Amino acid sequence: MRLMMTAMTAALLAAPVAAQQPLTDVRVVEATWIRDVALTRWENDRPVIYVNPRLLERFGPAMRDFFVGHEFGHVALAHDGGGALQTTPVDSTLMIMRQRQELEADCYAATRLAAEHRDAVEAAIRLFTRMGSFRFDRLHPTGSQR
C-alpha cells in the first residue's frame, strides 16, 4: 500500500494545513473487508485510513489518489470518521453533518491535488457528474452535490 501513494501522499503532507492533527501520524491500512473504497477512523487517538485495494483498483490510479486525498481531508479537518461503519440508525442531524464532512473532505482533496495531480481532480469531477443523483449511502452526498 505504501508504494501506491508515493507522490500523492508526499504532496498532501507537504501542503500547509491549519489543523490540529499532524498528517504524519496517519496509518494507512489495506482492508478488503470494508464496503467502501476507503474510510478514516480514529483509534487510540490516532487516525487510521483503511483502503480497500480491490475497490480502488476498479476506479483507476487517478480516482485512487482522489479517494485517499479525501480521507486525508477527514484527518486534516479532524472529522470523527467511521461513518461507513455506522451500525446504529442515523438521525437526520447526523446525516446532514456527515454529508457536510464528506463535501469538506472532497474540497480538501481537490485543493491539495489540483496543482500536481490535476488528473485526480478531473477524474473525480467526471465520476461525480456521471453519478448525478445517485449516492453511495445516506452519509454521502449525491454525485451532483459533490
Side-chain angles (χ1 to χ4, degrees):
M1 178 52 58
R2 290 190 194 284
L3 296 176
M4 170 169 99
M5 293 181 282
T6 54
M8 188 276 312
T9 301
L12 287 168
L13 296 178
V17 177
Q20 298 171 336
Q21 180 63 38
L23 295 182
T24 56
D25 194 29
V26 181
R27 269 186 346 157
V28 179
V29 178
E30 286 189 359
T32 57
W33 51 269
I34 62 173
R35 294 183 304 185
D36 201 346
V37 291
L39 62 89
T40 300
R41 293 191 49 164
W42 294 83
E43 299 174 0
N44 299 318
D45 295 323
R46 288 189 60 209
V48 179
I49 296 174
Y50 290 96
V51 295
N52 186 327
R54 292 179 188 158
L55 293 178
L56 284 174
E57 213 173 272
R58 294 180 188 175
F59 289 97
M63 278 309 300
R64 177 201 62 223
D65 287 352
F66 186 84
F67 287 136
V68 173
H70 170 101
E71 296 305 320
F72 271 96
H74 285 307
V75 173
L77 299 168
H79 294 160
D80 60 356
L85 299 178
Q86 189 81 29
T87 57
T88 58
V90 178
D91 68 20
S92 61
T93 304
L94 179 60
M95 184 180 70
I96 291 167
M97 181 194 70
R98 296 281 191 184
Q99 288 180 11
R100 187 191 78 242
Q101 289 179 346
E102 292 301 319
L103 293 171
E104 290 171 352
D106 284 347
C107 290
Y108 177 91
T111 301
R112 297 293 187 247
L113 294 169
E116 295 184 35
H117 299 285
R118 187 175 178 92
D119 60 323
V121 178
E122 290 171 350
I125 292 169
R126 284 190 303 273
L127 173 69
F128 296 143
T129 300
R130 280 194 314 267
M131 283 175 55
S133 62
F134 176 78
R135 71 176 75 234
F136 291 110
D137 58 30
R138 292 178 39 168
L139 302 178
H140 287 84
T142 66
S144 298
Q145 291 169 319
R146 295 176 92 170

